[in-house]
Amino acid sequence: MAASRPRRRPVVALYERIADAVHDGTYPPGSTLPSEPRLAAELGVSRPALREALLLLQEDGLVTVRRGVGRTVSPSPPRRGYERLRPLEELLAGGGTVAVRALLRAVEEPTDFTTQHLHAPAGAELAFWESVLTAQGAAAVLSQEWAAPAEVLRAAHPAFAEALGSPGAGAGSMLAVLAGTAREVDLTAHSQVSATLLGRRRGRQLDRAPDTPAVLVTQVVRAGGT
């Protein structure tokens, strides 16, 4: 699902800066964070804003407080994004039924967004699927999915391109098709999750007001390094 970058509260941006520093090893697991005044100076932020971000990091398990030591990075910080790669309709079902209604199944040239994530050259043909997922009779999710060019899919796993182009493939999500085909291929993903508003277009598609709060998930799925 892609959209323009949402506006974030400064404390959320600060939270993400520190979380990124944890995950890239700047503050490795088990290390002690700099003192509050020093860390605020290093990050160029106020101490109240830093304190609020640190509390959120503590709630999420990235940071712990040890008496006599200070704030330390958890020995095993939780990874970002979804831990298990599962199609959205399966993830949301929870024992119930989630229906996938196809809005669009098309081929399109790369946009700035898809070029960034799929490294697709200009003029390439990308499969684009747009769907609404309905749970308990109400539209719950707008899903937008792109796949790399067919030749890239075939190189990653010969059955991928064939599966996406087969009759009836569009009855579910693109991820469900790929996951069902990749029985002997490990799929991995990197996810970013943030809060946003639906906006006019997504609001119409989900039959909600434009200012309805929403969760925005951007997920990049790989087969091997592709």
Side-chain angles (χ1 to χ4, degrees):
M1 184 173 175
S4 57
R5 184 179 296 274
R7 291 173 291 180
R8 297 173 299 172
R9 294 174 55 215
V11 69
V12 175
L14 180 55
Y15 173 107
E16 292 184 350
R17 285 178 62 190
I18 299 173
D20 286 342
V22 168
H23 289 285
D24 69 19
T26 302
Y27 305 125
S31 66
T32 301
L33 291 176
S35 65
E36 199 173 282
R38 180 180 166 189
L39 187 56
E42 288 180 359
L43 298 173
V45 299
S46 68
R47 288 181 65 181
L50 175 62
R51 195 172 296 121
E52 184 177 357
L54 289 171
L55 285 173
L56 293 175
L57 289 162
Q58 184 177 337
E59 290 177 0
D60 288 349
L62 273 77
V63 172
T64 59
V65 178
R66 297 171 58 191
R67 182 172 298 178
V69 176
R71 291 185 176 91
T72 61
V73 179
S74 299
S76 300
R79 295 173 57 192
R80 304 185 73 168
Y82 293 127
E83 296 303 306
R84 297 180 61 195
L85 181 58
R86 300 167 64 190
L88 281 175
E89 57 264 46
E90 179 184 327
L91 186 68
L92 295 172
T97 301
V98 173
V100 179
R101 176 166 58 89
L103 298 180
L104 186 63
R105 300 289 186 262
V107 173
E108 65 173 33
E109 292 190 2
T111 62
D112 289 344
F113 176 82
T114 49
T115 297
Q116 174 188 351
H117 292 294
L118 294 177
H119 308 291
E125 293 187 341
L126 308 180
F128 171 59
W129 292 10
E130 186 172 53
S131 312
V132 169
L133 277 64
T134 303
Q136 298 180 348
V141 173
L142 174 66
S143 170
Q144 296 175 323
E145 300 172 290
W146 291 264
E151 59 270 20
V152 175
L153 292 178
R154 282 192 290 267
H157 184 48
F160 281 167
E162 181 181 350
L164 286 182
S166 65
S173 67
M174 185 182 290
L175 180 54
V177 173
L178 295 180
T181 307
R183 293 181 179 86
E184 71 278 20
V185 178
D186 288 332
L187 297 181
T188 59
H190 170 73
S191 303
Q192 292 180 325
V193 183
S194 59
T196 187
L197 300 177
L198 283 181
R200 289 185 179 179
R201 182 175 182 275
R202 291 190 302 239
R204 287 196 301 269
Q205 291 169 309
L206 293 174
D207 194 25
R208 301 284 199 285
D211 59 353
T212 301
V215 174
L216 176 66
V217 178
T218 303
Q219 183 166 247
V220 181
V221 180
R222 295 178 178 85
T226 303

